[in-house]
Amino acid sequence: MKIVYFSVTGQTRRFIKKLGAEFSAYEIDPVDPFFELNEPFVLIIPTYEDEITYPVIEFLKFKNNAAFFKGIVGTGNRNFAELFIFTAKNISKEFNVPLIYSFEFNGTPKDVQNFKEAVNKLES
């Protein structure tokens, strides 16, 4: 399964690097999010206001991308309590895809393991 991600401060990008070569990943370009991806993917998105993450919505609505969108993972800071991963929760509802995992900042080795298990479970 392809991994699509959006990184604002680099935390999500650091998590992607921890995954190694097991997954092929594509980073959404905030300047030009109009990329057609014709294969199933999981989206990893940090928690930010809609104005910052709008390129992700543009990517998802571009051509048939939403049809290949299979699951979402949220990242953020648990100190934000009920606002933790709210971006991922909102996109999950809007596009009717499961929220398969969440983690803080750039994730721990356990988060990497749990993420891989969640993606493998989604694929089966």
Side-chain angles (χ1 to χ4, degrees):
M1 175 127 5
K2 184 88 163 186
I3 306 300
V4 173
Y5 68 99
F6 189 70
S7 190
V8 177
T9 64
Q11 295 277 22
T12 307
R13 194 175 302 113
R14 283 190 280 286
F15 179 79
I16 295 299
K17 288 181 181 175
K18 293 178 184 181
L19 296 177
E22 187 174 336
F23 294 97
S24 173
Y26 170 76
E27 183 172 0
I28 297 171
D29 181 347
V31 176
D32 183 15
F34 305 105
F35 177 79
E36 185 175 13
L37 187 64
N38 290 313
E39 62 184 292
F41 68 90
V42 169
L43 172 67
I44 304 176
I45 186 165
T47 303
Y48 284 98
E49 294 296 323
D50 292 344
E51 300 83 38
I52 295 173
T53 58
Y54 188 73
V56 174
I57 301 301
E58 289 181 320
F59 167 82
L60 292 171
K61 291 183 175 180
F62 185 68
K63 297 201 177 185
N64 289 321
N65 286 346
F68 292 98
F69 185 18
K70 302 302 178 192
I72 191 165
V73 173
T75 72
N77 184 331
R78 293 189 194 279
N79 286 340
F80 295 134
E82 70 275 352
L83 295 178
F84 176 66
I85 70 163
F86 79 87
T87 303
K89 290 176 182 177
N90 291 346
I91 291 174
S92 171
K93 288 177 188 169
E94 181 178 349
F95 289 88
N96 195 31
V97 298
L99 176 64
I100 64 167
Y101 194 65
S102 65
F103 60 89
E104 270 195 296
F105 307 117
N106 62 39
T108 65
K110 183 69 174 165
D111 288 320
V112 170
Q113 178 185 344
N114 291 344
F115 170 83
K116 289 178 179 181
E117 290 172 6
V119 171
N120 290 333
K121 184 176 177 182
L122 188 63
E123 287 181 310
S124 54

PDB file of all heavy atoms in Angstrom, residues 4-6 26-36 52 54-60 62-63 65:
ATOM      1  N   VAL A   4       0.764   8.195   1.622  1.00  0.00           N
ATOM      2  CA  VAL A   4       0.729   9.600   1.231  1.00  0.00           C
ATOM      3  C   VAL A   4       0.765  10.384   2.527  1.00  0.00           C
ATOM      4  O   VAL A   4       0.092  10.028   3.500  1.00  0.00           O
ATOM      5  CB  VAL A   4      -0.550   9.923   0.423  1.00  0.00           C
ATOM      6  CG1 VAL A   4      -0.673  11.409   0.162  1.00  0.00           C
ATOM      7  CG2 VAL A   4      -0.557   9.145  -0.887  1.00  0.00           C
ATOM      8  N   TYR A   5       1.553  11.453   2.547  1.00  0.00           N
ATOM      9  CA  TYR A   5       1.653  12.206   3.793  1.00  0.00           C
ATOM     10  C   TYR A   5       1.798  13.692   3.518  1.00  0.00           C
ATOM     11  O   TYR A   5       2.146  14.125   2.422  1.00  0.00           O
ATOM     12  CB  TYR A   5       2.809  11.700   4.658  1.00  0.00           C
ATOM     13  CG  TYR A   5       4.193  11.962   4.103  1.00  0.00           C
ATOM     14  CD1 TYR A   5       4.955  13.037   4.555  1.00  0.00           C
ATOM     15  CD2 TYR A   5       4.742  11.137   3.133  1.00  0.00           C
ATOM     16  CE1 TYR A   5       6.225  13.273   4.054  1.00  0.00           C
ATOM     17  CE2 TYR A   5       6.015  11.361   2.634  1.00  0.00           C
ATOM     18  CZ  TYR A   5       6.753  12.435   3.093  1.00  0.00           C
ATOM     19  OH  TYR A   5       8.002  12.666   2.586  1.00  0.00           O
ATOM     20  N   PHE A   6       1.518  14.455   4.562  1.00  0.00           N
ATOM     21  CA  PHE A   6       1.655  15.903   4.540  1.00  0.00           C
ATOM     22  C   PHE A   6       2.477  16.269   5.762  1.00  0.00           C
ATOM     23  O   PHE A   6       2.200  15.800   6.861  1.00  0.00           O
ATOM     24  CB  PHE A   6       0.278  16.560   4.587  1.00  0.00           C
ATOM     25  CG  PHE A   6       0.280  18.044   4.367  1.00  0.00           C
ATOM     26  CD1 PHE A   6       0.578  18.569   3.128  1.00  0.00           C
ATOM     27  CD2 PHE A   6      -0.031  18.912   5.402  1.00  0.00           C
ATOM     28  CE1 PHE A   6       0.564  19.939   2.913  1.00  0.00           C
ATOM     29  CE2 PHE A   6      -0.047  20.288   5.197  1.00  0.00           C
ATOM     30  CZ  PHE A   6       0.256  20.798   3.947  1.00  0.00           C
ATOM     31  N   TYR A  26       4.628   9.140  -0.837  1.00  0.00           N
ATOM     32  CA  TYR A  26       4.494  10.350  -1.644  1.00  0.00           C
ATOM     33  C   TYR A  26       4.135  11.500  -0.703  1.00  0.00           C
ATOM     34  O   TYR A  26       3.172  11.391   0.061  1.00  0.00           O
ATOM     35  CB  TYR A  26       3.413  10.184  -2.719  1.00  0.00           C
ATOM     36  CG  TYR A  26       3.084  11.476  -3.413  1.00  0.00           C
ATOM     37  CD1 TYR A  26       3.945  12.004  -4.362  1.00  0.00           C
ATOM     38  CD2 TYR A  26       1.940  12.194  -3.074  1.00  0.00           C
ATOM     39  CE1 TYR A  26       3.672  13.214  -4.982  1.00  0.00           C
ATOM     40  CE2 TYR A  26       1.653  13.404  -3.691  1.00  0.00           C
ATOM     41  CZ  TYR A  26       2.518  13.903  -4.638  1.00  0.00           C
ATOM     42  OH  TYR A  26       2.254  15.108  -5.239  1.00  0.00           O
ATOM     43  N   GLU A  27       4.892  12.595  -0.757  1.00  0.00           N
ATOM     44  CA  GLU A  27       4.592  13.770   0.066  1.00  0.00           C
ATOM     45  C   GLU A  27       3.764  14.759  -0.742  1.00  0.00           C
ATOM     46  O   GLU A  27       4.148  15.146  -1.851  1.00  0.00           O
ATOM     47  CB  GLU A  27       5.871  14.450   0.546  1.00  0.00           C
ATOM     48  CG  GLU A  27       5.589  15.632   1.457  1.00  0.00           C
ATOM     49  CD  GLU A  27       6.829  16.225   2.105  1.00  0.00           C
ATOM     50  OE1 GLU A  27       7.943  15.725   1.857  1.00  0.00           O
ATOM     51  OE2 GLU A  27       6.678  17.197   2.869  1.00  0.00           O
ATOM     52  N   ILE A  28       2.634  15.175  -0.191  1.00  0.00           N
ATOM     53  CA  ILE A  28       1.780  16.178  -0.838  1.00  0.00           C
ATOM     54  C   ILE A  28       2.505  17.511  -0.834  1.00  0.00           C
ATOM     55  O   ILE A  28       2.918  17.998   0.214  1.00  0.00           O
ATOM     56  CB  ILE A  28       0.415  16.289  -0.126  1.00  0.00           C
ATOM     57  CG1 ILE A  28      -0.335  14.961  -0.232  1.00  0.00           C
ATOM     58  CG2 ILE A  28      -0.404  17.433  -0.716  1.00  0.00           C
ATOM     59  CD1 ILE A  28      -1.594  14.882   0.607  1.00  0.00           C
ATOM     60  N   ASP A  29       2.626  18.087  -2.001  1.00  0.00           N
ATOM     61  CA  ASP A  29       3.280  19.392  -2.171  1.00  0.00           C
ATOM     62  C   ASP A  29       2.249  20.483  -1.899  1.00  0.00           C
ATOM     63  O   ASP A  29       1.252  20.576  -2.617  1.00  0.00           O
ATOM     64  CB  ASP A  29       3.820  19.498  -3.600  1.00  0.00           C
ATOM     65  CG  ASP A  29       4.536  20.800  -3.881  1.00  0.00           C
ATOM     66  OD1 ASP A  29       4.438  21.750  -3.071  1.00  0.00           O
ATOM     67  OD2 ASP A  29       5.186  20.877  -4.934  1.00  0.00           O
ATOM     68  N   PRO A  30       2.454  21.319  -0.887  1.00  0.00           N
ATOM     69  CA  PRO A  30       1.462  22.354  -0.580  1.00  0.00           C
ATOM     70  C   PRO A  30       1.298  23.390  -1.688  1.00  0.00           C
ATOM     71  O   PRO A  30       0.246  24.006  -1.807  1.00  0.00           O
ATOM     72  CB  PRO A  30       1.987  23.000   0.704  1.00  0.00           C
ATOM     73  CG  PRO A  30       3.413  22.630   0.784  1.00  0.00           C
ATOM     74  CD  PRO A  30       3.585  21.348   0.033  1.00  0.00           C
ATOM     75  N   VAL A  31       2.304  23.560  -2.516  1.00  0.00           N
ATOM     76  CA  VAL A  31       2.223  24.529  -3.614  1.00  0.00           C
ATOM     77  C   VAL A  31       1.480  23.936  -4.812  1.00  0.00           C
ATOM     78  O   VAL A  31       0.755  24.638  -5.514  1.00  0.00           O
ATOM     79  CB  VAL A  31       3.642  24.993  -4.027  1.00  0.00           C
ATOM     80  CG1 VAL A  31       3.586  25.920  -5.229  1.00  0.00           C
ATOM     81  CG2 VAL A  31       4.332  25.671  -2.859  1.00  0.00           C
ATOM     82  N   ASP A  32       1.641  22.638  -5.033  1.00  0.00           N
ATOM     83  CA  ASP A  32       1.011  21.969  -6.169  1.00  0.00           C
ATOM     84  C   ASP A  32       0.520  20.588  -5.742  1.00  0.00           C
ATOM     85  O   ASP A  32       1.173  19.570  -5.995  1.00  0.00           O
ATOM     86  CB  ASP A  32       2.003  21.844  -7.333  1.00  0.00           C
ATOM     87  CG  ASP A  32       1.372  21.229  -8.568  1.00  0.00           C
ATOM     88  OD1 ASP A  32       0.128  21.147  -8.643  1.00  0.00           O
ATOM     89  OD2 ASP A  32       2.134  20.816  -9.459  1.00  0.00           O
ATOM     90  N   PRO A  33      -0.633  20.524  -5.064  1.00  0.00           N
ATOM     91  CA  PRO A  33      -1.131  19.246  -4.557  1.00  0.00           C
ATOM     92  C   PRO A  33      -1.848  18.388  -5.604  1.00  0.00           C
ATOM     93  O   PRO A  33      -2.332  17.313  -5.297  1.00  0.00           O
ATOM     94  CB  PRO A  33      -2.104  19.676  -3.462  1.00  0.00           C
ATOM     95  CG  PRO A  33      -2.628  20.979  -3.946  1.00  0.00           C
ATOM     96  CD  PRO A  33      -1.461  21.645  -4.650  1.00  0.00           C
ATOM     97  N   PHE A  34      -1.896  18.853  -6.837  1.00  0.00           N
ATOM     98  CA  PHE A  34      -2.675  18.182  -7.881  1.00  0.00           C
ATOM     99  C   PHE A  34      -1.862  17.072  -8.535  1.00  0.00           C
ATOM    100  O   PHE A  34      -1.277  17.223  -9.598  1.00  0.00           O
ATOM    101  CB  PHE A  34      -3.170  19.202  -8.899  1.00  0.00           C
ATOM    102  CG  PHE A  34      -3.949  20.298  -8.247  1.00  0.00           C
ATOM    103  CD1 PHE A  34      -3.395  21.552  -8.083  1.00  0.00           C
ATOM    104  CD2 PHE A  34      -5.214  20.058  -7.732  1.00  0.00           C
ATOM    105  CE1 PHE A  34      -4.101  22.564  -7.451  1.00  0.00           C
ATOM    106  CE2 PHE A  34      -5.929  21.059  -7.091  1.00  0.00           C
ATOM    107  CZ  PHE A  34      -5.372  22.310  -6.951  1.00  0.00           C
ATOM    108  N   PHE A  35      -1.829  15.941  -7.862  1.00  0.00           N
ATOM    109  CA  PHE A  35      -1.104  14.765  -8.317  1.00  0.00           C
ATOM    110  C   PHE A  35      -2.079  13.604  -8.325  1.00  0.00           C
ATOM    111  O   PHE A  35      -2.763  13.346  -7.333  1.00  0.00           O
ATOM    112  CB  PHE A  35       0.062  14.475  -7.361  1.00  0.00           C
ATOM    113  CG  PHE A  35       0.833  13.237  -7.702  1.00  0.00           C
ATOM    114  CD1 PHE A  35       1.776  13.253  -8.719  1.00  0.00           C
ATOM    115  CD2 PHE A  35       0.621  12.050  -7.010  1.00  0.00           C
ATOM    116  CE1 PHE A  35       2.490  12.104  -9.042  1.00  0.00           C
ATOM    117  CE2 PHE A  35       1.331  10.906  -7.323  1.00  0.00           C
ATOM    118  CZ  PHE A  35       2.265  10.928  -8.341  1.00  0.00           C
ATOM    119  N   GLU A  36      -2.160  12.907  -9.429  1.00  0.00           N
ATOM    120  CA  GLU A  36      -3.073  11.770  -9.529  1.00  0.00           C
ATOM    121  C   GLU A  36      -2.361  10.502  -9.091  1.00  0.00           C
ATOM    122  O   GLU A  36      -1.293  10.164  -9.597  1.00  0.00           O
ATOM    123  CB  GLU A  36      -3.567  11.621 -10.962  1.00  0.00           C
ATOM    124  CG  GLU A  36      -4.618  10.540 -11.113  1.00  0.00           C
ATOM    125  CD  GLU A  36      -5.183  10.481 -12.511  1.00  0.00           C
ATOM    126  OE1 GLU A  36      -4.627  11.083 -13.441  1.00  0.00           O
ATOM    127  OE2 GLU A  36      -6.215   9.812 -12.679  1.00  0.00           O
ATOM    128  N   ILE A  52      -4.153  25.440   6.804  1.00  0.00           N
ATOM    129  CA  ILE A  52      -2.820  24.884   6.603  1.00  0.00           C
ATOM    130  C   ILE A  52      -2.889  23.543   5.869  1.00  0.00           C
ATOM    131  O   ILE A  52      -2.061  23.250   5.018  1.00  0.00           O
ATOM    132  CB  ILE A  52      -2.084  24.743   7.946  1.00  0.00           C
ATOM    133  CG1 ILE A  52      -1.837  26.134   8.530  1.00  0.00           C
ATOM    134  CG2 ILE A  52      -0.761  23.983   7.794  1.00  0.00           C
ATOM    135  CD1 ILE A  52      -1.274  26.144   9.918  1.00  0.00           C
ATOM    136  N   TYR A  54      -5.314  22.503   3.882  1.00  0.00           N
ATOM    137  CA  TYR A  54      -6.170  22.541   2.692  1.00  0.00           C
ATOM    138  C   TYR A  54      -5.554  21.834   1.483  1.00  0.00           C
ATOM    139  O   TYR A  54      -6.287  21.189   0.724  1.00  0.00           O
ATOM    140  CB  TYR A  54      -6.568  23.986   2.339  1.00  0.00           C
ATOM    141  CG  TYR A  54      -7.593  24.036   1.244  1.00  0.00           C
ATOM    142  CD1 TYR A  54      -8.904  23.662   1.497  1.00  0.00           C
ATOM    143  CD2 TYR A  54      -7.255  24.408  -0.052  1.00  0.00           C
ATOM    144  CE1 TYR A  54      -9.854  23.668   0.484  1.00  0.00           C
ATOM    145  CE2 TYR A  54      -8.192  24.415  -1.066  1.00  0.00           C
ATOM    146  CZ  TYR A  54      -9.492  24.049  -0.792  1.00  0.00           C
ATOM    147  OH  TYR A  54     -10.423  24.031  -1.785  1.00  0.00           O
ATOM    148  N   PRO A  55      -4.243  21.907   1.254  1.00  0.00           N
ATOM    149  CA  PRO A  55      -3.680  21.171   0.114  1.00  0.00           C
ATOM    150  C   PRO A  55      -3.992  19.668   0.156  1.00  0.00           C
ATOM    151  O   PRO A  55      -4.097  19.024  -0.888  1.00  0.00           O
ATOM    152  CB  PRO A  55      -2.175  21.429   0.220  1.00  0.00           C
ATOM    153  CG  PRO A  55      -2.083  22.737   0.919  1.00  0.00           C
ATOM    154  CD  PRO A  55      -3.218  22.733   1.908  1.00  0.00           C
ATOM    155  N   VAL A  56      -4.156  19.115   1.344  1.00  0.00           N
ATOM    156  CA  VAL A  56      -4.497  17.699   1.462  1.00  0.00           C
ATOM    157  C   VAL A  56      -5.884  17.448   0.885  1.00  0.00           C
ATOM    158  O   VAL A  56      -6.097  16.491   0.136  1.00  0.00           O
ATOM    159  CB  VAL A  56      -4.419  17.235   2.939  1.00  0.00           C
ATOM    160  CG1 VAL A  56      -4.914  15.808   3.089  1.00  0.00           C
ATOM    161  CG2 VAL A  56      -3.002  17.392   3.458  1.00  0.00           C
ATOM    162  N   ILE A  57      -6.826  18.318   1.188  1.00  0.00           N
ATOM    163  CA  ILE A  57      -8.180  18.183   0.642  1.00  0.00           C
ATOM    164  C   ILE A  57      -8.142  18.329  -0.874  1.00  0.00           C
ATOM    165  O   ILE A  57      -8.816  17.574  -1.593  1.00  0.00           O
ATOM    166  CB  ILE A  57      -9.132  19.223   1.283  1.00  0.00           C
ATOM    167  CG1 ILE A  57      -9.183  19.045   2.810  1.00  0.00           C
ATOM    168  CG2 ILE A  57     -10.519  19.137   0.662  1.00  0.00           C
ATOM    169  CD1 ILE A  57      -9.650  17.677   3.279  1.00  0.00           C
ATOM    170  N   GLU A  58      -7.359  19.273  -1.363  1.00  0.00           N
ATOM    171  CA  GLU A  58      -7.232  19.435  -2.812  1.00  0.00           C
ATOM    172  C   GLU A  58      -6.670  18.172  -3.455  1.00  0.00           C
ATOM    173  O   GLU A  58      -7.138  17.740  -4.499  1.00  0.00           O
ATOM    174  CB  GLU A  58      -6.356  20.645  -3.141  1.00  0.00           C
ATOM    175  CG  GLU A  58      -7.032  21.962  -2.822  1.00  0.00           C
ATOM    176  CD  GLU A  58      -6.163  23.166  -3.164  1.00  0.00           C
ATOM    177  OE1 GLU A  58      -4.940  23.111  -2.930  1.00  0.00           O
ATOM    178  OE2 GLU A  58      -6.726  24.142  -3.677  1.00  0.00           O
ATOM    179  N   PHE A  59      -5.675  17.567  -2.828  1.00  0.00           N
ATOM    180  CA  PHE A  59      -5.120  16.314  -3.328  1.00  0.00           C
ATOM    181  C   PHE A  59      -6.196  15.228  -3.347  1.00  0.00           C
ATOM    182  O   PHE A  59      -6.355  14.509  -4.334  1.00  0.00           O
ATOM    183  CB  PHE A  59      -3.928  15.863  -2.467  1.00  0.00           C
ATOM    184  CG  PHE A  59      -3.503  14.454  -2.737  1.00  0.00           C
ATOM    185  CD1 PHE A  59      -2.676  14.162  -3.813  1.00  0.00           C
ATOM    186  CD2 PHE A  59      -3.942  13.413  -1.933  1.00  0.00           C
ATOM    187  CE1 PHE A  59      -2.294  12.848  -4.079  1.00  0.00           C
ATOM    188  CE2 PHE A  59      -3.575  12.097  -2.186  1.00  0.00           C
ATOM    189  CZ  PHE A  59      -2.750  11.817  -3.270  1.00  0.00           C
ATOM    190  N   LEU A  60      -6.920  15.076  -2.250  1.00  0.00           N
ATOM    191  CA  LEU A  60      -7.919  14.013  -2.156  1.00  0.00           C
ATOM    192  C   LEU A  60      -9.049  14.185  -3.169  1.00  0.00           C
ATOM    193  O   LEU A  60      -9.578  13.196  -3.681  1.00  0.00           O
ATOM    194  CB  LEU A  60      -8.486  13.951  -0.736  1.00  0.00           C
ATOM    195  CG  LEU A  60      -7.507  13.479   0.335  1.00  0.00           C
ATOM    196  CD1 LEU A  60      -8.107  13.663   1.717  1.00  0.00           C
ATOM    197  CD2 LEU A  60      -7.091  12.032   0.092  1.00  0.00           C
ATOM    198  N   PHE A  62      -8.749  15.599  -6.096  1.00  0.00           N
ATOM    199  CA  PHE A  62      -8.224  15.658  -7.464  1.00  0.00           C
ATOM    200  C   PHE A  62      -8.461  14.325  -8.179  1.00  0.00           C
ATOM    201  O   PHE A  62      -8.125  13.254  -7.665  1.00  0.00           O
ATOM    202  CB  PHE A  62      -6.726  15.985  -7.443  1.00  0.00           C
ATOM    203  CG  PHE A  62      -6.116  16.190  -8.790  1.00  0.00           C
ATOM    204  CD1 PHE A  62      -6.469  17.296  -9.561  1.00  0.00           C
ATOM    205  CD2 PHE A  62      -5.204  15.294  -9.296  1.00  0.00           C
ATOM    206  CE1 PHE A  62      -5.900  17.492 -10.809  1.00  0.00           C
ATOM    207  CE2 PHE A  62      -4.630  15.483 -10.539  1.00  0.00           C
ATOM    208  CZ  PHE A  62      -4.986  16.583 -11.303  1.00  0.00           C
ATOM    209  N   LYS A  63      -9.062  14.406  -9.337  1.00  0.00           N
ATOM    210  CA  LYS A  63      -9.353  13.240 -10.189  1.00  0.00           C
ATOM    211  C   LYS A  63      -9.942  12.109  -9.357  1.00  0.00           C
ATOM    212  O   LYS A  63     -10.925  12.305  -8.667  1.00  0.00           O
ATOM    213  CB  LYS A  63      -8.129  12.852 -10.988  1.00  0.00           C
ATOM    214  CG  LYS A  63      -7.707  13.969 -11.936  1.00  0.00           C
ATOM    215  CD  LYS A  63      -6.868  13.479 -13.057  1.00  0.00           C
ATOM    216  CE  LYS A  63      -6.562  14.670 -13.978  1.00  0.00           C
ATOM    217  NZ  LYS A  63      -5.851  14.255 -15.159  1.00  0.00           N
ATOM    218  N   ASN A  65      -8.427  10.354  -6.847  1.00  0.00           N
ATOM    219  CA  ASN A  65      -7.657  10.046  -5.641  1.00  0.00           C
ATOM    220  C   ASN A  65      -8.536   9.543  -4.501  1.00  0.00           C
ATOM    221  O   ASN A  65      -8.152   8.600  -3.797  1.00  0.00           O
ATOM    222  CB  ASN A  65      -6.839  11.257  -5.197  1.00  0.00           C
ATOM    223  CG  ASN A  65      -5.638  11.496  -6.093  1.00  0.00           C
ATOM    224  OD1 ASN A  65      -5.256  10.640  -6.892  1.00  0.00           O
ATOM    225  ND2 ASN A  65      -5.044  12.669  -5.978  1.00  0.00           N
TER     226      ASN A  65
END
